[in-house]
């Protein structure tokens, strides 16, 4: 599951690079509207049973909230 989450983050970062490099609004919209990995983070959070897993899920949630709700919408 973590591999899938990290693959999804990599895709997001590549799409944002495409937006920045080519001012491609479709890439930015794809990222803002297609953040399906939030569901995967929730699933991981539910099955996290070690302190390390719980810390990872918390850090992923914090970063995701900052990046997708704060940073990206204000990035023009």
């Amino acid at each position: 599951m973590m591999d899938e989450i990290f693959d999804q983050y990599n895709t997001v970062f590549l799409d944002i690079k495409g937006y920045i490099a080519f001012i491609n609004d479709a890439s930015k919209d794809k990222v803002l509207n297609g953040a399906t990995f939030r569901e995967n983070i929730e699933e991981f959070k539910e099955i996290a049973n070690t302190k390390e897993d719980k810390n990872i899920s918390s850090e992923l949630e914090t970063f995701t909230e900052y990046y997708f709700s704060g940073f990206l919408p204000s990035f023009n």
Side-chain angles (χ1 to χ4, degrees):
M1 181 175 288
M2 288 304 298
D3 287 340
E4 186 175 338
I5 292 170
F6 288 125
D7 286 345
Q8 290 170 329
Y9 270 116
N10 284 330
T11 299
V12 164
F13 297 142
L14 289 173
D15 285 340
I16 287 302
K17 286 180 181 182
Y19 167 71
I20 293 168
F22 305 109
I23 313 299
N24 182 343
D25 288 331
S27 292
K28 184 179 177 184
D29 292 342
K30 178 181 174 187
V31 169
L32 292 175
N33 296 324
T36 58
F37 56 88
R38 288 179 179 176
E39 296 167 6
N40 288 339
I41 293 170
E42 280 299 315
E43 288 179 28
F44 178 71
K45 186 178 177 181
E46 290 175 12
I47 64 169
N49 56 7
T50 67
K51 185 176 181 177
E52 182 180 9
D53 287 348
K54 290 175 184 180
N55 287 340
I56 290 170
S57 67
S58 177
E59 289 176 16
L60 285 169
E61 277 187 318
T62 300
F63 174 77
T64 300
E65 182 64 28
Y66 163 76
Y67 193 76
F68 291 94
S69 297
F71 176 73
L72 282 182
S74 66
F75 190 81
N76 290 317

